[in-house]
């Protein structure tokens, strides 16, 4: 089973920041948090991952709480092309498996 | 960035036939490749993990004799759906990573329709 819980859906206005929350209260100390997104009928696209520090790349920022029980993916200026299902995944310790949950369906509107 | 391709992108076959799907890592050598299946409106389900040169490890409930996986080189893994039936119709997606500690990059998926 997935070790994360996410809201089923969210809306965001184009040009605004999209903040996608994820709870992972049972995460272990050496398990990473990964974010992927899947645009309709395509393979998932890697966005970002982190262990305990906040991370930023050209796509997004990842904010992980100090207790590591939750995190937030931030798309700073959402565009219509960011409409997708966003998956927050805890990679199991010492394995290479990614267990996908149900994700958050983000709808960016004009 | 890391690019993974799949071929074909979509395939239609008759019930009882076998279908082979290829997954290639184009700009890196993937020691580990993964195969997922996704039914409509559902999330991705991991089917199996394959390491180059060794037998694949299948998830519980996935029939290894039905879904044959071959990972003969560091850039190619194949999934063969044997004796396909309509219930095997699905979106099959592969991913690849440099090694089992690295980020997985996904292919674009193969849509299989079995008539």
């Amino acid at each position: 089973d997935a070790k994360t819980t996410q809201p089923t859906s969210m809306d965001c206005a184009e040009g605004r920041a999209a903040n996608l929350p994820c709870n992972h209260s049972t995460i272990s100390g050496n398990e990473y948090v990964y974010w992927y997104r899947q645009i309709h009928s395509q393979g998932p696209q890697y966005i970002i991952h982190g262990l305990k520090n906040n991370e930023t790349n050209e796509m997004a920022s990842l904010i992980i709480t100090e207790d590591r029980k939750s995190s937030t993916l931030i798309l700073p200026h959402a565009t219509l092309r960011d409409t997708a299902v966003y998956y927050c995944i805890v990679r199991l310790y010492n394995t290479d498996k990614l267990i996908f949950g149900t994700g958050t369906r983000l709808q960016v509107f004009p | 960035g890391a690019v993974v391709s799949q071929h074909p992108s979509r395939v239609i076959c008759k019930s009882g036939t076998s279908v082979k799907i290829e997954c290639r890592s184009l700009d890196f050598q993937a020691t580990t490749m993964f195969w997922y299946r996704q039914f409509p409106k559902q999330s991705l389900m991991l089917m199996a993990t394959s390491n180059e040169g060794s037998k694949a490890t299948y998830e519980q409930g996935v029939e290894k004799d039905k879904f044959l996986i071959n990972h003969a080189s560091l850039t190619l893994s194949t999934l063969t759906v044997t004796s396909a039936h309509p219930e095997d119709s699905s979106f099959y997606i592969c991913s690849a990573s440099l090694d089992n500690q690295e980020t997985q990059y996904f292919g674009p998926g193969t849509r299989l329709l079995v008539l």
Side-chain angles (χ1 to χ4, degrees):
Chain A
D1 291 340
K3 296 180 67 173
T4 62
T5 55
Q6 300 177 251
T8 303
S9 63
M10 295 181 64
D11 291 337
C12 179
E14 189 177 21
R16 306 296 289 265
N19 298 292
L20 292 90
C22 179
N23 286 322
H24 31 79
S25 58
T26 61
I27 192 170
S28 298
N30 47 10
E31 291 179 321
Y32 284 80
V33 178
Y34 277 76
W35 283 84
Y36 285 81
R37 71 181 182 185
Q38 187 177 26
I39 296 170
H40 183 61
S41 294
Q42 297 181 24
Q45 178 188 22
Y46 166 76
I47 301 173
I48 200 167
H49 75 282
L51 183 62
K52 43 184 151 180
N53 297 324
N54 297 336
E55 302 287 345
T56 295
N57 62 20
E58 64 278 4
M59 288 183 68
S61 294
L62 173 60
I63 309 297
I64 302 175
T65 58
E66 196 166 335
D67 63 8
R68 301 189 71 239
K69 293 185 177 182
S70 65
S71 61
T72 301
L73 178 75
I74 301 173
L75 308 178
H77 306 286
T79 71
L80 299 179
R81 287 176 298 194
D82 291 324
T83 293
V85 178
Y86 287 76
Y87 295 100
C88 169
I89 303 165
V90 170
R91 197 181 77 195
L92 300 178
Y93 169 67
N94 212 27
T95 76
D96 39 21
K97 296 182 182 182
L98 295 178
I99 306 300
F100 283 78
T102 53
T104 295
R105 184 171 298 277
L106 176 68
Q107 179 69 53
V108 181
F109 57 91
Chain B
V3 180
V4 177
S5 70
Q6 283 184 240
H7 177 81
S9 59
R10 55 180 67 224
V11 57
I12 301 173
C13 70
K14 293 182 179 180
S15 187
T17 61
S18 294
V19 174
K20 180 184 284 189
I21 302 169
E22 292 185 349
C23 176
R24 293 181 185 272
S25 57
L26 298 184
D27 53 359
F28 68 103
Q29 293 187 322
T31 57
T32 308
M33 287 186 169
F34 306 83
W35 287 95
Y36 296 79
R37 181 167 52 180
Q38 186 176 33
F39 292 108
K41 299 189 186 302
Q42 295 186 22
S43 189
L44 283 78
M45 295 291 294
L46 179 65
M47 298 175 68
T49 303
S50 75
N51 292 291
E52 186 264 339
S54 62
K55 290 184 178 180
T57 302
Y58 290 81
E59 294 298 300
Q60 192 172 7
V62 178
E63 300 174 60
K64 62 181 180 181
D65 295 329
K66 182 169 183 61
F67 299 99
L68 302 179
I69 292 172
N70 184 282
H71 191 165
S73 78
L74 286 172
T75 59
L76 173 65
S77 176
T78 60
L79 168 69
T80 301
V81 183
T82 62
S83 187
H85 289 96
E87 58 266 30
D88 299 321
S89 299
S90 190
F91 192 47
Y92 291 87
I93 310 168
C94 73
S95 69
S97 64
L98 180 61
D99 64 40
N100 64 6
Q101 298 300 312
E102 294 292 322
T103 298
Q104 289 183 33
Y105 295 94
F106 285 80
T110 296
R111 192 162 299 281
L112 170 64
L113 177 62
V114 184
L115 301 177

